[in-house]
Each structure stands twice: as structure tokens, then as C-alpha cells.
Amino acid sequence: MTIRQTSYLRKSLMPGEKALLEARLHWIHYMGTWCAGIISCALLVVALWIPLCLIGLPISGLWAFISWMRARSTQFLVTNKRVIFKEGIISIHTEEIRNAKVESIEITQPIMGRILGYATIHFAGTGNSDVYFCDVATPWRVKSAAEAIVNGDYEA
């Protein structure tokens, strides 16, 4: 399997570790980007008649860019040895659990998540270790594949 944003996760894999499942964000996570883009376009059109609207154009454009970068920098990965969550580009935050330490895998799905097909997957580990995959597309498929990997039943 090829990892989408390869640099960080490829460097963080241990010897003999293989990426078996990469979950992806649901399209709902990009709604902020879409809304900011639509607002930017509307402000650009209105600014032709009302120059004061040019003030909001860079703000909404920056909002769209930050929202897009946040979504693009978030990764969920299950390997043959670990469950890894990574977010950020400049400042990176990761959470990891070794597969042997995963006690349960739970799904939390709000009403809109049921309708649109996204959920949060919670990997509960021994002790205080927890990893959350938020706004994951096809959560039930990801959960069953992750359970097979964690239990050692998955064949690459």
C-alpha cells in the first residue's frame, strides 16, 4: 500500500512494519473549505460594486486555505504493528497504539453521520492510551478491517 502523504509516516514506520489500511476523511470535513471558497467568490463578485467587500476576500481565502491544509494533513493508518493518527504540517501531533495493546474498537456516529456515512472510530488501549479517527468515511468497513489487522487475521 502506498501512503498518501508519504514523508512523515514513511519515516516513522519501524523495520518490518507495513501499512495495511489508510482511512480517509469524509467529504463533510471539507465543508469549511467549500463554504469559504463560495464566500470568497461571492465577495469577489460583490466587490465589483461595493469595494468595501474586498476586505473580507483575503479573510475568507485564508480560511479556505487553512481548512484545506488541515484536512490534507490529517492521516489515519493501521499497520501490521500499530494504529497511528497524525495531523499537522509544521507542528505535528501523533497518537499511536501498538496492535497488541488495543482492547476495543468503538464507533460513535451522530445522526448526520448515519445519513451521510461518517463516524468517529475510537481505539481503546490498555492503560490511558486511546486513538481517535474522527470523521472517517466508510467507518464500518474501516472498523472491520482494523479489527482483522489488530487481531492478526488480515492478509495483505
Side-chain angles (χ1 to χ4, degrees), residues 23-66:
R24 60 185 171 77
L25 284 171
H26 190 266
W27 61 265
I28 196 78
H29 199 76
Y30 290 94
M31 285 301 290
T33 304
W34 293 343
C35 290
I38 290 168
I39 290 169
S40 294
C41 291
L43 285 174
L44 187 60
V45 170
V46 172
L48 296 174
W49 294 283
I50 307 170
L52 187 60
C53 289
L54 284 175
I55 295 170
L57 187 61
I59 295 169
S60 61
L62 182 63
W63 177 32
F65 179 72
I66 289 170

Side-chain angles (χ1 to χ4, degrees), residues 26 107-119 139-140:
H26 190 266
I107 288 185
T108 303
Q109 194 171 38
I111 293 171
M112 286 307 291
R114 290 278 294 166
I115 294 168
L116 299 174
Y118 69 90
W140 297 101

